[in-house]
Amino acid sequence: MFEELEKAIKNRVNISESELTEMYRHFTPKKIRKKQLLLEEGDICNRVAFVEKGALFSYSTDEKGGIHIMQFAFEGWWMSDLFSFFTNEPSKLCIEALEDSEVLLISKEKHAELLQKMPVFESYMRQLYQNAYVSLQRRMEETIGLSAEEKYSRFLNGPFSGLLSRVPQHLIASYLGITPETLSRVRRQFAS
Amino acid sequence: MFEELEKAIKNRVNISESELTEMYRHFTPKKIRKKQLLLEEGDICNRVAFVEKGALFSYSTDEKGGIHIMQFAFEGWWMSDLFSFFTNEPSKLCIEALEDSEVLLISKEKHAELLQKMPVFESYMRQLYQNAYVSLQRRMEETIGLSAEEKYSRFLNGPFSGLLSRVPQHLIASYLGITPETLSRVRRQFAS
């Protein structure tokens, strides 16, 4: 049930078994089927999800109905709309299951409780946000400064390498901020 | 010397005067003149800057010599290339003084030292990264999903409102990922 979470946490901090057990008490497991939404645009995001199995993705929708992928999350990754989570503003994002998935949810209250009573959780979260910021910064740099070819090349070698077969092409195009046609052209270039 | 830093920290955590004094010991003050670089592309970013006075901005340069603004930082804000800082990879960014500025620098070693020995600094940093992530997420959403008009409108009402007169128009355009011509058109629309 908590295998991936245990791995993810032990990867960053020294934590005792009793602290782990205490931490798990704050999470609620949930199964979610492919295409089901974990968060709808306009709702306030009041929980964070950890992916034990499967995959999620978050996206915004523009006025023309186009979708813009913010993030993918596979096993061992966290997913939320942290903007809405921390500001209590309605979310501009949807979070949807890319595959049948199993997630661990932690509510805002439980999250705050853990931060307050467990310094090791604060330390883990500091490292997590730090890394999330760094990844997002790199993504932002790529989005504003790179050509379609460079974006795709980085994508192939980034944290998603090895997971690409699980993501439909039109979602990869949306993540990279290019059209599916451009993506096809770039992929042909890379294949030749 | 540490007025803005004191404000920024007390704004987020409860900290004693002796802890503050101890914390300050880890920072080195530096004056930097307008147009001087605090970080050059290709160098490893091994420090974080806190702006006591003035303003900095970070940017990447593309193959055609165009610049893409990542971030502005005014009094009370932090500035670094956290990607390079945490990964030890050469930076893809420059950090430049927008105005004559006074900054407080903390090295990677001192930063790690503070995190380890001062839980209140860890707590502050967790909140800082959390908020930095949230701001960057909102910026990413805006970059990939909004029209030039919407971007400018958000910019006017965002954290830079009140500071806009200190930023040249071509840097605002670069920050928004639009051409200076588009920015002029949008500004005329907003003015009319």
Side-chain angles (χ1 to χ4, degrees), chain A:
Chain A
M1 179 87 79
F2 294 99
E3 288 82 2
E4 291 289 338
L5 183 59
E6 179 175 339
K7 258 198 277 177
I9 288 178
K10 285 188 169 170
N11 209 9
R12 294 205 193 278
V13 290
N14 286 320
I15 189 166
S16 68
E17 291 306 312
S18 63
E19 280 173 321
L20 266 181
T21 311
E22 170 62 14
M23 188 180 294
Y24 294 160
R25 283 204 313 107
H26 295 70
F27 287 86
T28 310
K30 185 181 166 80
K31 290 191 181 192
I32 165 170
R33 298 193 69 89
K34 184 175 173 171
K35 299 206 170 173
Q36 240 190 305
L37 292 182
L38 196 62
L39 173 71
E40 278 194 71
E41 191 185 335
D43 288 353
I44 292 169
C45 181
N46 52 20
R47 54 198 185 173
V48 178
F50 179 86
V51 183
E52 274 289 327
K53 198 173 158 215
L56 309 175
F57 66 111
S58 62
Y59 58 93
S60 61
T61 311
D62 64 28
E63 289 164 358
K64 293 168 191 156
I67 73 165
H68 305 275
I69 308 278
M70 175 61 68
Q71 201 196 327
F72 294 108
F74 296 89
E75 293 86 0
W77 298 30
W78 293 87
M79 172 64 94
S80 185
D81 175 359
L82 290 181
F83 187 93
S84 172
F85 186 80
F86 290 120
T87 62
N88 280 318
E89 283 184 37
S91 181
K92 312 230 172 232
L93 301 177
C94 291
I95 298 176
E96 183 177 321
L98 184 65
E99 307 169 351
D100 291 348
S101 301
E102 291 174 27
V103 298
L104 300 170
L105 299 173
I106 183 166
S107 69
K108 190 178 297 218
E109 293 71 29
K110 297 284 180 190
H111 189 264
E113 206 180 299
L114 268 184
L115 278 177
Q116 217 190 353
K117 74 179 175 194
M118 212 181 264
V120 69
F121 187 71
E122 173 119 60
S123 182
Y124 173 71
M125 278 294 147
R126 193 260 309 161
Q127 293 182 49
L128 191 69
Y129 293 134
Q130 175 183 308
N131 281 278
Y133 179 86
V134 158
S135 304
L136 193 57
Q137 180 191 319
R138 181 48 58 99
R139 176 148 150 67
M140 187 74 203
E141 282 171 31
E142 293 173 359
T143 302
I144 61 180
L146 294 189
S147 67
E149 286 76 10
E150 291 169 317
K151 280 182 194 170
Y152 187 64
S153 164
R154 291 269 190 94
F155 186 70
L156 288 182
N157 297 304
F160 300 112
S161 68
L163 300 163
L164 287 179
S165 60
R166 292 165 64 181
V167 186
Q169 292 303 312
H170 71 282
L171 295 186
I172 293 180
S174 165
Y175 179 82
L176 296 176
I178 59 181
T179 64
E181 293 71 32
T182 303
L183 179 60
S184 295
R185 181 177 57 73
V186 172
R187 290 184 73 218
R188 279 196 303 274
Q189 263 176 272
F190 274 76
S192 66

Side-chain angles (χ1 to χ4, degrees), chain B residues 5-191:
Chain B
L5 184 59
E6 179 174 340
K7 259 198 274 176
I9 289 178
K10 285 188 169 168
N11 208 11
R12 294 206 190 279
V13 290
N14 287 320
I15 188 165
S16 68
E17 291 305 313
S18 63
E19 281 173 320
L20 267 182
T21 309
E22 170 63 13
M23 189 179 296
Y24 295 159
R25 282 204 315 108
H26 295 70
F27 288 85
T28 309
K30 186 182 166 79
K31 292 192 179 188
I32 165 171
R33 298 193 69 90
K34 183 174 173 172
K35 298 210 172 169
Q36 237 191 307
L37 292 181
L38 196 62
L39 173 71
E40 278 195 70
E41 191 186 335
D43 288 351
I44 293 169
C45 180
N46 52 20
R47 53 197 187 176
V48 179
F50 179 86
V51 184
E52 274 289 327
K53 194 168 161 223
L56 308 175
F57 66 112
S58 62
Y59 58 93
S60 60
T61 311
D62 64 28
E63 291 162 357
K64 293 168 193 155
I67 73 164
H68 304 276
I69 308 278
M70 175 62 66
Q71 202 196 326
F72 294 108
F74 296 89
E75 293 86 2
W77 298 30
W78 293 87
M79 171 63 93
S80 186
D81 175 359
L82 290 181
F83 187 93
S84 173
F85 186 80
F86 291 120
T87 62
N88 280 318
E89 282 184 38
S91 180
K92 311 229 174 236
L93 301 177
C94 290
I95 298 177
E96 183 178 323
L98 185 65
E99 306 169 351
D100 290 349
S101 301
E102 292 174 26
V103 298
L104 301 169
L105 299 173
I106 182 166
S107 69
K108 191 180 294 217
E109 294 70 31
K110 297 284 183 192
H111 188 265
E113 206 181 298
L114 269 184
L115 278 176
Q116 218 191 353
K117 72 179 177 196
M118 212 181 264
V120 70
F121 187 71
E122 173 118 59
S123 182
Y124 173 71
M125 278 294 146
R126 193 260 309 160
Q127 293 181 50
L128 191 70
Y129 293 134
Q130 174 182 308
N131 282 278
Y133 179 86
V134 158
S135 304
L136 194 56
Q137 180 191 318
R138 180 49 57 98
R139 174 146 150 68
M140 187 75 205
E141 281 171 32
E142 292 173 1
T143 301
I144 60 180
L146 294 188
S147 67
E149 286 76 10
E150 289 169 317
K151 280 181 194 171
Y152 187 64
S153 162
R154 291 271 190 92
F155 186 71
L156 288 182
N157 297 304
F160 300 111
S161 68
L163 300 164
L164 286 180
S165 60
R166 294 166 62 182
V167 186
Q169 291 302 312
H170 71 281
L171 296 186
I172 294 179
S174 166
Y175 180 83
L176 296 176
I178 61 182
T179 64
E181 294 71 33
T182 304
L183 179 60
S184 295
R185 181 177 57 72
V186 172
R187 292 183 71 216
R188 279 195 303 275
Q189 262 175 271
F190 274 77

